[in-house]
């Protein structure tokens, strides 16, 4: 009986090592997928913000438009308008 126990224990220990190795590989794969998705999400958020920032810039290009008036049109305060305008200058390609 002792021999069967030792054999079964050795087999189970080997199975445990195989499972731990597979667990580590799968975890690494999941972590890499998460990192890729997180980077893609950040890029997509930047692109989404650029759309609104460009719209604020376009609104400000209307002759006679002021930050205060743009804020009233967009139902936000002047500080928010200025933030969007600043973001718009950050997302526009440079001429250099």
């Amino acid at each position: 009986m002792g021999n069967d126990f030792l054999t079964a224990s050795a087999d189970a220990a080997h199975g445990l090592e195989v499972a731990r190795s597979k667990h580590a590989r799968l975890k690494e794969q999941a972590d890499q997928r998460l990192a890729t998705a997180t980077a893609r999400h950040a890029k997509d958020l930047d692109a989404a913000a650029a759309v609104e920032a460009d719209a604020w810039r376009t609104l400000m290009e209307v002759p006679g438009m002021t930050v205060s008036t743009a804020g009233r049109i967009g139902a936000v305060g002047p500080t928010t308008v200025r933030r969007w305008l600043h973001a718009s200058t950050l997302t526009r390609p440079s001429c250099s």
Side-chain angles (χ1 to χ4, degrees):
M1 178 164 177
N3 199 8
D4 291 340
F5 175 79
L6 292 177
T7 301
S9 295
D11 289 346
H14 175 69
L16 178 60
E17 285 304 312
V18 169
R20 284 180 169 170
S21 178
K22 185 173 183 178
H23 172 223
R25 279 193 318 275
L26 292 172
K27 182 183 181 306
E28 179 63 29
Q29 184 180 33
D31 288 344
Q32 288 174 354
R33 286 180 178 164
L34 176 60
T36 299
T38 300
R40 168 106 188 224
H41 180 258
K43 184 179 175 182
D44 289 349
L45 286 177
D46 288 345
V51 170
E52 184 167 351
D54 287 343
W56 282 105
R57 182 185 45 78
T58 300
L59 180 62
M60 288 304 298
E61 290 174 355
V62 172
M65 183 61 64
T66 65
V67 169
S68 179
T69 302
R72 286 188 181 269
I73 291 170
V76 298
T79 302
T80 301
V81 175
R82 286 187 189 95
R83 265 192 229 120
W84 279 113
L85 293 173
H86 179 70
S88 174
T89 61
L90 296 176
T91 60
R92 293 175 77 188
S94 94
C95 296
S96 357

Short mmCIF file of all heavy atoms in Angstrom, two decimals, residues 4 9 17 22 24 52 66 79 93-94:
data_model
loop_
_atom_site.label_atom_id
_atom_site.label_comp_id
_atom_site.label_asym_id
_atom_site.label_seq_id
_atom_site.Cartn_x
_atom_site.Cartn_y
_atom_site.Cartn_z
N ASP A 4 1.91 2.20 -3.57
CA ASP A 4 0.85 2.84 -4.35
C ASP A 4 0.68 4.30 -3.94
O ASP A 4 0.48 5.18 -4.78
CB ASP A 4 -0.48 2.09 -4.18
CG ASP A 4 -0.46 0.72 -4.82
OD1 ASP A 4 0.40 0.48 -5.70
OD2 ASP A 4 -1.31 -0.11 -4.46
N SER A 9 1.26 9.85 -5.15
CA SER A 9 1.71 11.17 -4.68
C SER A 9 2.68 11.79 -5.66
O SER A 9 2.61 13.00 -5.96
CB SER A 9 2.37 11.05 -3.30
OG SER A 9 1.44 10.64 -2.35
N GLU A 17 2.96 20.48 -10.62
CA GLU A 17 4.02 21.29 -11.24
C GLU A 17 3.63 21.70 -12.66
O GLU A 17 3.84 22.85 -13.06
CB GLU A 17 5.35 20.54 -11.24
CG GLU A 17 6.02 20.48 -9.89
CD GLU A 17 6.24 21.87 -9.29
OE1 GLU A 17 6.76 22.76 -10.01
OE2 GLU A 17 5.88 22.06 -8.12
N LYS A 22 1.58 25.92 -16.30
CA LYS A 22 0.53 26.37 -17.23
C LYS A 22 -0.17 27.61 -16.68
O LYS A 22 -0.46 28.55 -17.43
CB LYS A 22 -0.49 25.24 -17.45
CG LYS A 22 -1.54 25.58 -18.49
CD LYS A 22 -2.43 24.40 -18.80
CE LYS A 22 -3.42 24.76 -19.88
NZ LYS A 22 -4.27 23.63 -20.25
N ALA A 24 1.14 29.91 -14.78
CA ALA A 24 2.04 31.05 -14.98
C ALA A 24 2.00 31.53 -16.43
O ALA A 24 1.96 32.74 -16.68
CB ALA A 24 3.46 30.66 -14.58
N GLU A 52 -13.80 66.36 -29.57
CA GLU A 52 -14.47 67.49 -28.91
C GLU A 52 -13.56 68.72 -28.88
O GLU A 52 -14.03 69.85 -29.08
CB GLU A 52 -14.91 67.12 -27.49
CG GLU A 52 -15.69 68.25 -26.86
CD GLU A 52 -16.43 67.89 -25.59
OE1 GLU A 52 -16.49 66.69 -25.25
OE2 GLU A 52 -16.96 68.82 -24.94
N THR A 66 -16.30 84.68 -28.33
CA THR A 66 -15.48 84.82 -27.13
C THR A 66 -15.56 83.52 -26.33
O THR A 66 -16.46 82.70 -26.54
CB THR A 66 -15.97 85.98 -26.25
OG1 THR A 66 -17.28 85.66 -25.77
CG2 THR A 66 -16.00 87.30 -27.01
N THR A 79 -13.59 78.35 -17.91
CA THR A 79 -12.42 77.53 -17.59
C THR A 79 -12.45 76.23 -18.39
O THR A 79 -11.42 75.78 -18.91
CB THR A 79 -12.37 77.24 -16.08
OG1 THR A 79 -12.34 78.48 -15.38
CG2 THR A 79 -11.15 76.41 -15.72
N PRO A 93 -1.42 68.56 -35.11
CA PRO A 93 -0.05 68.32 -35.54
C PRO A 93 0.71 69.65 -35.68
O PRO A 93 0.13 70.66 -36.05
CB PRO A 93 -0.19 67.64 -36.90
CG PRO A 93 -1.61 67.81 -37.30
CD PRO A 93 -2.40 68.18 -36.09
N SER A 94 1.99 69.63 -35.38
CA SER A 94 2.78 70.84 -35.48
C SER A 94 3.21 71.05 -36.93
O SER A 94 3.23 70.14 -37.74
CB SER A 94 3.98 70.77 -34.55
OG SER A 94 5.09 70.29 -35.23
#
